[in-house]
Amino acid sequence: QVQLVESGGGLVQAGGSLRLSCVVSGGTFSNEAMAWFRQAPGKERDFVSAINANSMSIYYADSVKGRFTIFRDNAKNTVYLQINSLKFEDTAVYYCAAHPWTWPARRPNEYSYWGQGTQVTVSS
């Protein structure tokens, strides 16, 4: 059973930074493409970023390009999302996802496994 556990969310002022982490267990992490999505209250779950198994293929949503960086440490079974220059509109629950059935994969229904989410709240 693959399990994903996110951490690193919190309350931060606009312009600040956070680093989210997602630790994966129960699978072969080094073979898995991973992704981050986010969901604001009352809105759909939106794609943020995705990274393939060897980090050679990376995608970002236009809204986060230049501010967010996805990277992974296969030795630690962990994928990260570095978030800089936070904006109020970045407020959301951030979810980690694994095992897409296609690539690139930007839709939630293309991923098999999900974490429970971590809340990011940006104060203006």
Side-chain angles (χ1 to χ4, degrees):
Q1 181 73 14
V2 177
Q3 292 187 325
L4 289 68
V5 179
E6 303 98 332
S7 62
L11 174 64
V12 64
Q13 287 188 331
S17 298
L18 283 174
R19 178 175 292 182
L20 308 184
S21 300
C22 173
V23 179
V24 181
S25 61
T28 307
F29 178 79
S30 59
N31 291 341
E32 294 283 354
M34 303 291 300
W36 288 94
F37 287 76
R38 66 185 181 184
Q39 189 167 17
K43 296 189 177 181
E44 295 184 347
R45 191 168 297 190
D46 290 332
F47 172 76
V48 173
S49 182
I51 185 169
N52 74 340
N54 64 8
S55 302
M56 296 298 290
S57 181
I58 292 175
Y59 294 89
Y60 295 100
D62 288 343
S63 59
V64 307
K65 282 181 182 176
R67 299 189 298 120
F68 289 20
T69 303
I70 190 171
F71 60 102
R72 62 191 295 159
D73 185 339
N74 286 348
K76 295 183 178 180
N77 286 2
T78 303
V79 62
Y80 302 93
L81 187 69
Q82 178 68 40
I83 307 175
N84 298 328
S85 303
L86 275 157
K87 303 177 181 180
F88 178 75
E89 51 264 39
D90 294 322
T91 295
V93 177
Y94 283 70
Y95 295 92
C96 176
H99 200 70
W101 55 267
T102 186
W103 187 259
R106 296 187 178 92
R107 298 190 179 101
N109 62 6
E110 294 172 332
Y111 288 83
S112 299
Y113 302 108
W114 291 87
Q116 83 289 348
T118 186
Q119 175 72 47
V120 172
T121 303
V122 183
S123 61
S124 58

